[in-house]
Amino acid sequence: MLLSKRDAEITSRQIIHVNGIVQGVGFRPFVCKLARHYHLTGFVTNTTHGVKIEIEGEQVSLDRFFNDLKSKAPPLAQISEVTSKTIDPINDESFEISSSETQGQITTLVSPDVAVCGECLGELFDPTDRRYLYPFINCTNCGPRYTIIENIPYDRAATSMRDFTMCDSCQEEFNAPDSRRFHAQPNCCPVCGPEVKLYTGDGKEEAVSGDAIRAVVDILQRGNIAAIKGIGGFHLAVDAINDEAVARLRRRKGREEKPFAVMVGDLESAGRICYLTGASEHSLLSAECPIVLAEKKTGHSLSNKVAPGNDMFGVMLPYTPLHHLLFHNGLKALVMTSGNYSEEPICIENSDAFERLGNIADYFLVHNRDIYLRSDDSIVIQMGGQLRSVRRSRGYAPRPVSLHNDGPPLLAIGGELKNNVCLLKDKQAFISQHIGDLKNLAAYTSFQKTIDHLRLILQIEPELIVHDLHPGYLSTRWAVEQEKAATLGVQHHHAHLASCMAENAIDEPVIGLILDGTGYGSDGTIWGGEVLIGDYQNFTRYASLETMPLPGGDAAIAAPWRTAVAYLHTAFDGQLPDLPFLSLHDIGPILEMVEKKVNTPDTSSCGRFFDAVAALSGGRQTIAYEAQAAIELMQAADGRYDGEGSYSCGDITTVNGVRRIPVRPIIRSVAEDVADGKSLAVISRRFHQALIDLFAYVADRSSQETEIKTVALSGGVFQNRLLFEGLLKALNTKGLKVLTHSEIPTNDGCISLGQAMIGRHYILN
Ligand code: ZN
Ligand code: ZN
Ligand code: FE
């Protein structure tokens, strides 16, 4: 039939190359089915660059095939490029999948880890299926990838599944092109695959497989803490409804107040504890399966110790078969927080977990499929009408961000907090999983391992290493020690600006409103409330917040009251007004530091401005986690706005060519309101409005002076939804085009991308 059909029409043959995430995601079987559907002949094969298809038949059918190739690709495939060329027909008899061509340089992409798919879930709970209740069920559409891959090309021998030899049934599926498990490298079953075991805290084996899962549910229901090994690392789990149990976890983990993430069994359960938008629901159910931040519902059933003093919950749904089995066995809601002590990186190895989590967990539910690379849960939030990344890690990394321009390969190593690294290759930016705070030695080790690993699996030899300007950062020192590549230091807030431009595929200069905690400035002072004008090559500091003293540097960041005292002292020229919060503290030493300028750098930080206002108006005096004072100040105001007005800030002066946005008048106005007995809600609202008015005004003025109509918003302070949404509106009203982050975080998780783009232009020019 095929031959007669072909004979009737003009046939042609094409070579098609497909690049992107097209291996290990069911792409070849998809191509094969599609080709046969349209009665086309030829073959498909994996190459070092992706997938090669040679295909021939009637032109109409080829056109249809070509359309479907892009529009109907399997869920995990991400096509970055398709090229095709016509060649002479050779009259194949059929369409086949042929074995891989893997010589030469390998440029195919590794997929992120993916939540268990619907079909696998169906089998998991089907009593007649041979993988019934098997916690490692997976297929080409789902399961672990990035975190188990040690090398390329991506096949079983290069993953931590190499120790498990497939049984006959699994091997048969693996070899069958029409099976959902065709070349699914982590394919396994209860006969041949990994298993779970439950241990007591002192290392005694309690139960295996299904018994272990039932037992861990039981011990969790009785209020115990379990360390549970997942995809990207260990979680510490505890019943989220049990007050006493959650409190014990907080004590043992050294995490007093920072909100815990919660896992619930399904979307309905998530909707019972918080308000979910359509986009949030969609994200919860996505293959990436991140933690979604959403407003708490009053009357929710969770312990108040899950997220004390915070009006949001971080909620996620089960994403591994093991998680599903926990909820299937009767759990309602679990705290699922990263398996670490305080701010250390999460544990990924069994032995490491027993050692480091021994004083926290009562039980350990472990398995024998090794995690090669750690990857924390990702976090998203809906703000300004869009879903936005807060932490881009498991489920997303190392999927590339597409760039609008090409250039030489390089490595950018990010900032110090919320560190990740970024490798550029051609028109793609590969941003690593979240690595964390590089002051932490274990995180620094993870940083080095991640760089080596990404360079290996992406086959990138960077021509340039881009680092932060701060001479004291471990990452800066690491960069300077590398002998093979040239290095470039990039200013932190310039990187923020470039990152936002890159994410929005913009080349022309923009006005950057970079509102941030702290970053090392080009002049050696600490920046953080910046209006920069620039592009990937250059920037000028158009304006910044007036500099204020930061007594004790990092010590002030942990204790906003210190910042408040210093800001007040400056705002009132040394004559402190009598405010209630002052009586709570021993302010003498702080005043002395400020007056004598001992260990008291100047800063234009916006984050510290928030801290000062929060503490002096009776909010947070000290913090238990990053930005807590600012978060609580915002929450005090949110939703209670009723024309509270704003604070006026007086005139903008120019110092050394930089316009100084006044801080002192606002501090004085806040102090007056506090003395007047105004509520924190009113003060907070006015303060937010003042910042919105100010930065919108400065952006508008700089736009008029430069004729640049585009404003980029970046920096950790834009995680403040009140400020972010307010400024977005104000800038739009002024007719300015606003660029924001969404796919990558606005916080320092975006720094590596910005550095990389600045590095690329540095090489090219
Ligand atoms: Zn699956
Ligand atoms: Zn098997
Ligand atoms: Fe920053």
Side-chain angles (χ1 to χ4, degrees), residues 70 134 152-153 252 412 459 462 465 497 581 591 593 600 623 630 683:
K70 288 181 186 169
Y134 179 58
I152 47 160
R252 290 192 191 166
Q459 297 283 293
I465 298 175
L497 175 143
F581 90 102
L591 293 175
M593 283 173 87
T600 300
I623 56 170
I683 294 171

Side-chain angles (χ1 to χ4, degrees), residues 117 120 138-139 142 180:
C117 74
C120 284
N138 68 81
C139 71
C142 73
R180 212 172 78 249

Side-chain angles (χ1 to χ4, degrees), residues 343-345 356 374 416 435-449 474:
E343 301 291 320
E344 292 175 359
R356 282 165 57 204
R374 70 170 49 82
E416 179 150 81
I435 294 169
D437 179 356
L438 285 194
K439 280 200 287 285
N440 187 303
L441 189 66
Y444 181 63
T445 309
S446 183
F447 162 82
Q448 291 170 301
K449 180 176 176 180
L474 280 179

